[in-house]
Amino acid sequence: MPAVISLNSVLSNLEQQRGHKFALLVGAGISHSSGIPTTSEICNDLTKRLFLSARGERAERLPYVDLEEATAWLKQQPWYQGKGDENDYSLLMRTYNQTEAARRKYLEGLMERKRPANGLLHLAVAIKNGVFDIVLT
């Protein structure tokens, strides 16, 4: 069984290596503990919203949409060239939110009233203190 190392332990060890620079590679899921949806969750939401829109139904019905039914509908659309995975993000985002302003508003709505989790706060301090030379997402 692999050893589990706490974030505080990792950051402490890195800070002891002053003078060395480190690159940090993080995935989109790093914000999930703060309540920000993952790419997969956003794709599911957009699929449901597109499904409702095509049926002329209002967004209030979103919690009642069956994801399997919405996904089956999506795969039948002539404009859909996706594979049913996170790579569909750009296609679904552009289709549902056709302008940059609409995409921004949608994403801002997903992040409203969210607070960074403790791990992100520790990471922000490490970045501010120069522990990482570069952060890649």
Side-chain angles (χ1 to χ4, degrees):
M1 175 178 235
V4 177
I5 302 171
S6 74
L7 177 61
N8 286 339
S9 176
V10 170
L11 292 176
S12 176
N13 286 332
L14 288 172
E15 287 177 1
Q16 291 174 12
Q17 302 295 322
R18 291 282 179 196
H20 293 89
K21 292 294 183 178
F22 298 95
L24 176 65
L25 175 64
V26 297
I30 192 169
S31 300
H32 194 255
S33 60
S34 299
I36 307 297
T38 63
T39 303
S40 178
E41 291 168 339
I42 292 172
C43 286
N44 291 344
D45 181 68
L46 290 169
T47 297
K48 290 179 177 183
R49 288 174 184 276
L50 287 164
F51 178 70
L52 284 176
S53 178
R55 293 174 59 167
E57 296 185 41
R58 299 171 61 86
E60 290 81 30
R61 300 254 325 121
L62 195 64
Y64 308 105
V65 174
D66 179 66
L67 180 59
E68 287 184 24
E69 182 181 1
T71 301
W73 167 85
L74 177 67
K75 290 179 179 180
Q76 294 174 357
Q77 302 313 300
W79 53 265
Y80 179 72
Q81 303 293 317
K83 298 178 181 169
D85 59 19
E86 286 94 10
N87 295 323
D88 290 353
Y89 175 85
S90 293
L91 173 63
L92 294 172
M93 184 65 79
R94 283 191 319 270
T95 303
Y96 184 74
N97 300 295
Q98 295 185 354
T99 66
E100 184 177 333
R103 290 188 288 274
R104 178 179 299 276
K105 183 178 178 183
Y106 172 77
L107 292 172
E108 286 173 349
L110 296 177
M111 294 180 226
E112 276 182 342
R113 295 183 291 278
K114 302 292 192 267
R115 307 289 298 170
N118 285 338
L120 285 177
L121 296 174
H122 289 292
L123 183 56
V125 170
I127 292 168
K128 182 179 177 186
N129 290 339
V131 173
F132 299 104
D133 195 33
I134 188 169
V135 179
L136 305 169
T137 61

